[in-house]
Each structure stands twice: as C-alpha cells, then as structure tokens.
Amino acid sequence: VISLLSSWFLPFWRDAWNVFDFIVVALSITALVAEELPVLSTLRLIRVFRAVRLFRKFKSLRIITNAIIGSLVPVLNTVLILILVTSMFAILAVELYHERGALQGTNDFKNFYFALFTMYQVSTGDSWASAIARPLFYDLPPEPGDMEQDREVTDYSPLIFFSTYTVVASLILLNVVVAVLLQNFQNCVDQDNNNIRMEATEKAFRAEDLAPLDPILMSLSAFDEPFLIERYIRLIFRRLDTNKKKKISWLDLAAGLREMPFSPCIYFTVDDFDVFTNDRENCDQDGNLDEEWFLVLFQDQLERFY
C-alpha cells in the first residue's frame, strides 16, 4: 500500500513486479479472511512464489527471466505450428498405418489421439525407430525365432514418413524455439545494458546542469550502431529544415528544437549556436548550416557527451 501511494498509482501498475506483488498479497489477505474456503486456503501457497523477486536483484537471473517472459508469445506461435504439423502427420498416420498397427498388435495409430501422442513420442526421440517405425516395414508381426534380417520388407513408406516428420519437427521447429529464446535473450541483454546506461546518464544530469543538446544526445547514446546514429541525426536535420533549403539557420534550429518532444524542453540560444558551430566557422556566409556539417558537429557533440 505504501509503495502504491508513494508512486501515485499509475507508475506502480507499470512495473510488472509490483503487479505480481499486489496479486500475491491480495490473495493472501483474502485467504486469511475467508479461511473456511479450501480453495482460498490453497491459494495462500502462492506466497512461496515471492521468492521469484530474488531474480530482480541478480542481473543474470533477471535477464534470463525477462528473456523467457519475452519469448512466451513467439514460442507459443512456434509451438502452435508444431502442433498443427504433428496433427497433420497424425491424421496421415491413422490413414496409412491403422490396419497394419492392428495386425502388429499395437494401438499406436488406433485413432487420432493415439496417433497424436505417438507422433509426440517420435518428436522427443524416445525409441521411435525401433518401437514405432521399424515394425511398420512388415505386414505381419514376427514369428517366434524369426531374425529381423530374414524377414521380407513389404513397405518402405515408414522410412519416408517418419524421416520427414523427424526433420520438420525435431530438427527445424524445435530449433526455431531455441533460436527465438536466444534472440530474446540477446535483446534482453541489450535492453538491460541500455537501461543501465540511461540510468547512469540521468544520475549525471541530476548531479550537474544540463547542456542545451543533452536531451537529444541522451537519446542518441542509446544507439550502438554508428549508421543508426547518423540516420537519426539526418532525420533531425530534415525535420529542422522546414523550408527544404538543405540549410538551417540559428532561428530554424532554435525553433525546431523547442518544438521537439524532449524533456526538458530545449532552448537553444545564439551563444549556444556560436559554440556549436565554432563561432560560425562551419557556417556559410549567411550563417546557415548544411546537413553534412550538422552531422559532423552533432557527432562531435556526441563524442564529448560520452
């Protein structure tokens, strides 16, 4: 409650960990009030999951947890595709091997549900070749004392059928799930590093006065790739160049920066413009700045900002 009131409600709900705490505490209080309800008493066990908050204190655990949570939707999409593919192969298996499986004395392909579980077993690699696929090469079960090399193969279709499913399900789709997890793990690492850098920058801003261009430079510092920084700077110039002259004056720069949605608002004075352009040495005779010099000067400001 203290955390909720101290953050004025809205910021509290923006933090997923706060929402998690609220749910756990609300269920615990409800279970204490209504102890006679067995369902609510069982819900009190949810308090054990508060130990998950320890993940927030350790960077490595926090990154792994965020990666898993962030991967839920992409992984579920991949799993849905895997289920659809498995269902298609299960339907085919019932049509192709239902009667042969009955002759072999197995229920692996008795109906769709049996076949679906059998295909799941194949995807896990649990003795599918010897226990499921190999008997289907023959029409009849082996007689006592028969050696497998002495039996005559009557159908080679299980070789193609199960090999195709194994490649699609086990080697492709399951690896796609791993790839999604790795991609989200890398994204979480980058996001965590960016957050740490932004927090350090904000602390530095609170410790000393802001320079006029610091709000923009703080946004640029979040980019790691030089080409993204250059693109961002050129977009800023084109937004400031409202007259499409491919040159901007101090008035264009001051008015444009003031209208941009940065916090705090940027007020760029004539003196700031002189410092930015090295006493207008980088301007033309009319005191205007072209795009290339704007890019060079902004990159120089960004290097000093770092």
Side-chain angles (χ1 to χ4, degrees):
V1 173
I2 295 174
S3 177
L4 178 63
L5 295 176
S6 63
S7 58
W8 294 99
F9 293 96
L10 185 56
F12 177 88
W13 297 109
R14 289 175 178 171
D15 191 335
W17 292 105
N18 290 337
V19 175
F20 174 77
D21 277 344
F22 178 82
I23 294 174
V24 171
V25 172
L27 291 175
S28 300
I29 294 175
T30 305
L32 289 174
V33 174
E35 293 183 351
E36 66 279 2
L37 296 178
V39 176
L40 292 179
S41 298
T42 305
L43 290 177
R44 293 176 63 182
L45 298 176
I46 294 179
R47 289 182 296 178
V48 176
F49 291 100
R50 291 202 67 187
V52 177
R53 284 188 63 89
L54 291 175
F55 294 166
R56 192 180 187 182
K57 305 299 181 181
F58 301 97
K59 179 180 178 181
S60 58
L61 293 178
R62 183 177 67 249
I63 291 175
I64 294 174
T65 304
N66 292 337
I68 293 174
I69 295 174
S71 304
L72 287 179
V73 174
V75 168
L76 287 177
N77 291 335
T78 307
V79 171
L80 179 60
I81 297 175
L82 179 60
I83 293 174
L84 291 175
V85 171
T86 303
S87 300
M88 293 167 56
F89 275 86
I91 294 172
L92 291 174
V94 172
E95 295 294 328
L96 294 174
Y97 307 120
H98 167 64
E99 295 182 0
R100 189 176 304 172
L103 292 175
Q104 297 285 352
T106 64
N107 293 322
D108 292 339
F109 304 103
K110 179 180 179 181
N111 53 41
F112 171 76
Y113 302 104
F114 277 83
L116 186 63
F117 183 78
T118 301
M119 299 311 297
Y120 168 73
Q121 180 181 347
V122 173
S123 68
T124 62
D126 181 18
S127 65
W128 66 271
S130 59
I132 298 174
R134 195 177 299 275
L136 298 177
F137 283 90
Y138 312 101
D139 287 334
L140 298 175
E143 297 293 336
D146 285 352
M147 301 296 292
E148 184 173 354
Q149 59 268 24
D150 298 331
R151 301 175 65 192
E152 182 180 356
V153 177
T154 57
D155 186 5
Y156 287 95
S157 66
L159 174 64
I160 300 175
F161 180 84
F162 288 101
S163 298
T164 303
Y165 177 74
T166 302
V167 170
V168 173
S170 301
L171 300 182
I172 297 179
L173 292 179
L174 290 180
N175 284 325
V176 168
V177 175
V178 177
V180 170
L181 287 172
L182 290 176
Q183 181 62 40
N184 279 274
F185 179 80
Q186 185 61 46
N187 292 340
C188 288
V189 171
D190 295 340
Q191 183 63 40
D192 194 77
N193 291 334
N194 287 337
N195 291 338
I196 292 175
R197 185 164 53 191
M198 293 291 287
E199 290 175 1
T201 303
E202 290 177 0
K203 289 180 180 178
F205 285 168
R206 289 193 294 266
E208 56 187 51
D209 293 335
L210 285 173
L213 296 177
D214 281 353
I216 299 180
L217 298 177
M218 184 174 68
S219 299
L220 290 172
S221 65
F223 295 103
D224 295 325
E225 300 294 337
F227 76 93
L228 292 176
I229 296 175
E230 178 179 345
R231 181 185 300 176
Y232 192 90
I233 295 174
R234 290 187 183 278
L235 288 175
I236 293 174
F237 180 87
R238 290 163 190 170
R239 181 170 178 177
L240 296 173
D241 184 20
T242 56
N243 296 323
K244 308 301 179 184
K245 298 183 300 182
K246 297 184 178 180
K247 293 182 179 181
I248 57 174
S249 63
W250 164 73
L251 290 175
D252 297 328
L253 185 59
L257 292 177
R258 189 164 57 249
E259 294 176 358
M260 289 186 177
F262 289 103
S263 179
C265 185
I266 301 176
Y267 293 96
F268 204 70
T269 65
V270 176
D271 294 335
D272 295 327
F273 185 76
D274 291 338
V275 173
F276 180 66
T277 58
N278 299 314
D279 291 329
R280 310 205 180 195
E281 291 181 0
N282 307 118
C283 299
D284 60 12
Q285 295 179 350
D286 299 326
N288 296 324
L289 192 64
D290 63 21
E291 182 174 346
E292 296 305 320
W293 270 116
F294 183 83
L295 173 63
V296 171
L297 295 175
F298 237 105
Q299 290 175 333
D300 180 62
Q301 291 290 324
L302 185 60
E303 291 180 1
R304 296 180 184 178
F305 178 79
Y306 286 139

